[in-house]
Amino acid sequence: MKQQIYLDYAATTPVYPEIIEKMAQSLSFTGTFGNPASNGHPFGQQARQKVEQARSDVASLIGATADEIIWTSGATESNNLALKGVTERYASRGKHIITSQIEHKAILDSCAKLESLGFEVTYLKPNAETGIITPDAVKDAIRPDTLLISLMMVNNEIGTITDIKSIGETAKQQDIFFHVDAAQAAGKLHIDVHALNIDLLSLSAHKVYGPKGIGALYVNHQKTFEIEPQIHGGGHEQGCRSGTLATHQIVGMGEAFKIAKLSLDTEQERLKLLQQKLFDGLKAMTSIVLNGDLEQRVANYLNVSFTEDNPFVLINAVKTFAAVSSGSACNSGKAGASHVLLAIDRTETHAKNAIRFSFGKYTTEKNIDDLLEHLKHVQDTTQIVTFI
C-alpha cells in the first residue's frame, strides 16, 4: 500500500533530523548525559548548561525571560499546573473561573475537577460557525469573585485565533489571573507574553517539531504570585515542579523553538497558499462548509464538514489517501462528534462528517494536488458506477 500523505500536523509533528542529533548527544557517556541537578562535577554542570540554553531559546520565542520558564512533561501538565496551581494557592480571593466550551480537554477536565472542589466555572459559548471567543463575552462573564481566565490562543481543531491582547488588558485591569494555552500557537503566531499581559502560558515541544514528552509553563515574574506545585519531591524548577530533568528532551525543545523563530512568517505565508488551494479544490468538487473563521485563523489548519447527502465516499477516500483527523488527537479514542464543532452550532451529522486537515513543514503543493486528483478520480468512478 502506498504511504499516506501526512496532513495531521496538529496532532504531532516529526522531529527535525538536526534536533534528533543534538538530543542524542545528551544521552551517551561521551555526551552531556549527567543529571542537571548534580552541580558538584562537570557532568552535571555541562548538562545544566544545555538545559539553561534551551530555557533561553524557549523564552525568546514568546518574549519571556529564561527564569520565567518552568519545564513540564507537555502542555497537558502545564495546563493542569497553571489552573490547579493558581486556584489552590489563591482560592481565598475568589472561586470563579472563566474558560470556553471549545478548550482542550486538559482545560475542560481540570475545570471539572475544580468544580468538584467547590469552584464555579463559566464556559463561554463561541460565536456560531466561526468559533471566535470575543473579548466582550469575557468581560460580560467577569464577577467580583473571578479568580482566573483560561483561554487557548489558537483552537486545536478549527485553528481560530483568540484576541488574547484585548482579553489580557481586561484581566490586568480587573486583577484577574490570565492563563493561555499556546500549544497550537507557538511557532505560528508572534507571541510577546508581557505585551499581551499573560500570567501563565502553556507550551508543547511536539507541536513545533520537537520531541514528545516535554513542555513548559511560562510564569510571569513581573507579577508577584506563586503557584502551588502539583508534583512534589526535590523542589526542582523553582519549587514549582519536582523531578529529574530530561536533558535530551529539553535540548530538543530548545532547538525546535529556536528554529521556529527563524521561519515563522515565511512558513505561514507558504502554508496559507496550500490551505486555500485545498479549500478551493474541495469546494469545486463537493458541498462543504468551513468550520472556523475565514480570516481570524492560522494557516496550518483547515476544518471542513462534508454536507452532501452521501458524503462517505469522499470522506473515506480522504482517509485512505491522507493521514487526517476527525477531531483532536486527545479525543481520537472516543466515539462521538467533536465538542468543538457542536459548540459552534454544527449539527451532530455535520460534526461527525468533518475532517481536520493540518499542514506543516513537509507538506508540499504536490501533496495537495495529488489528494485533489485522487478525490476527483474516486468521485468520477463512483458516478460512473452509479450511472451504470
Side-chain angles (χ1 to χ4, degrees):
M1 179 181 173
K2 185 178 179 181
Q3 185 175 7
Q4 290 181 311
I5 295 170
Y6 189 72
L7 295 177
D8 201 16
Y9 284 82
T12 196
T13 58
V15 181
Y16 289 139
E18 60 267 38
I19 294 177
I20 295 173
E21 184 178 347
K22 287 184 180 294
M23 290 175 63
Q25 293 169 5
S26 295
L27 292 170
S28 67
F29 185 73
T30 56
T32 52
F33 76 95
N35 188 329
S38 299
N39 295 319
H41 52 68
F43 296 97
Q45 293 163 5
Q46 290 166 8
R48 169 59 65 177
Q49 290 173 359
K50 294 287 187 181
V51 165
E52 295 311 315
Q53 180 58 58
R55 202 187 301 271
S56 295
D57 290 332
V58 169
S60 179
L61 184 66
I62 62 170
T65 58
D67 64 339
E68 295 177 310
I69 300 300
I70 304 297
W71 299 118
T72 68
S73 64
T76 292
E77 184 187 340
S78 295
N79 287 340
N80 274 262
L81 179 57
L83 269 63
K84 297 172 184 176
V86 165
T87 53
E88 285 185 25
R89 182 61 67 98
Y90 296 101
S92 61
R93 286 177 45 177
K95 303 190 77 172
H96 178 235
I97 302 165
I98 297 172
T99 187
S100 86
Q101 297 175 358
I102 60 172
E103 299 301 304
H104 189 277
K105 285 295 184 179
I107 296 296
L108 296 178
D109 288 354
S110 292
C111 285
K113 176 63 177 179
L114 291 170
E115 284 181 299
S116 74
L117 299 175
F119 287 84
E120 293 185 61
V121 182
T122 296
Y123 297 94
L124 299 175
K125 183 172 175 57
N127 286 350
E129 300 184 358
T130 67
I132 300 295
I133 303 294
T134 66
D136 285 341
V138 176
K139 284 182 180 179
D140 291 342
I142 291 174
R143 306 183 337 197
D145 62 339
T146 301
L147 176 66
L148 172 69
I149 298 169
S150 178
L151 294 168
M152 55 173 45
M153 188 174 290
V154 171
N155 186 270
N156 57 311
E157 291 194 29
I158 57 178
T160 51
I161 301 169
T162 304
D163 186 356
I164 294 299
K165 182 175 176 56
S166 296
I167 298 168
E169 291 173 353
T170 297
K172 183 178 181 180
Q173 292 167 2
Q174 301 284 342
D175 194 23
I176 297 169
F177 288 109
F178 186 33
H179 166 254
V180 173
D181 180 348
Q184 298 285 1
K188 303 176 181 70
L189 297 177
H190 290 282
I191 301 172
D192 185 331
V193 285
H194 294 300
L196 296 172
N197 294 307
I198 297 171
D199 297 315
L200 301 135
L201 180 128
S202 299
L203 298 166
S204 175
H206 80 101
K207 308 295 187 181
V208 198
Y209 306 93
K212 300 172 185 66
I214 185 67
L217 178 67
Y218 153 80
V219 181
N220 183 4
H221 281 187
Q222 292 185 2
K223 183 174 179 178
T224 304
F225 71 99
E226 297 178 351
I227 55 176
E228 191 70 24
Q230 301 301 301
I231 299 177
H232 302 87
H236 305 79
E237 293 301 283
Q238 304 173 49
C240 294
R241 198 268 189 181
S242 295
T244 301
L245 296 177
T247 307
H248 62 297
Q249 289 174 295
I250 289 170
V251 165
M253 183 168 182
E255 287 294 320
F257 275 52
K258 182 167 66 175
I259 293 171
K261 188 176 183 180
L262 300 175
S263 58
L264 191 156
D265 290 325
T266 55
E267 185 66 353
Q268 282 295 296
E269 292 172 4
R270 185 182 75 86
L271 295 183
K272 183 65 179 176
L273 296 176
L274 301 184
Q275 180 193 64
Q276 193 64 49
K277 185 181 187 71
L278 180 56
F279 186 48
D280 291 342
L282 291 173
K283 280 197 304 181
M285 190 180 307
T286 187
S287 175
I288 59 172
V289 291
L290 175 68
N291 298 315
D293 192 75
L294 188 61
E295 301 296 333
Q296 198 169 317
R297 58 175 172 160
V298 293
N300 306 69
Y301 310 142
L302 175 65
N303 191 314
V304 297
S305 290
F306 290 76
T307 57
E308 287 194 348
D309 291 338
N310 185 19
F312 304 109
V313 171
L314 282 183
I315 290 175
N316 290 334
V318 169
K319 292 183 176 180
T320 300
F321 196 80
V324 295
S325 175
S326 299
S328 66
C330 64
N331 291 325
S332 61
K334 297 182 179 180
S338 157
H339 73 282
V340 172
L341 299 187
L342 294 178
I344 65 172
D345 290 344
R346 292 298 180 221
T347 66
E348 187 162 345
T349 298
H350 285 175
K352 287 183 176 180
N353 292 343
I355 290 180
R356 179 189 68 181
F357 302 91
S358 50
F359 321 107
K361 181 68 175 179
Y362 300 104
T363 309
T364 65
E365 186 174 6
K366 185 177 185 304
N367 291 154
I368 305 304
D369 288 336
D370 288 348
L371 175 58
L372 291 172
E373 183 179 343
H374 171 71
L375 297 180
K376 189 72 172 85
H377 174 73
V378 169
Q379 186 181 56
D380 291 344
T381 302
T382 303
Q383 289 174 347
I384 291 173
V385 171
T386 302
F387 179 75
I388 293 174

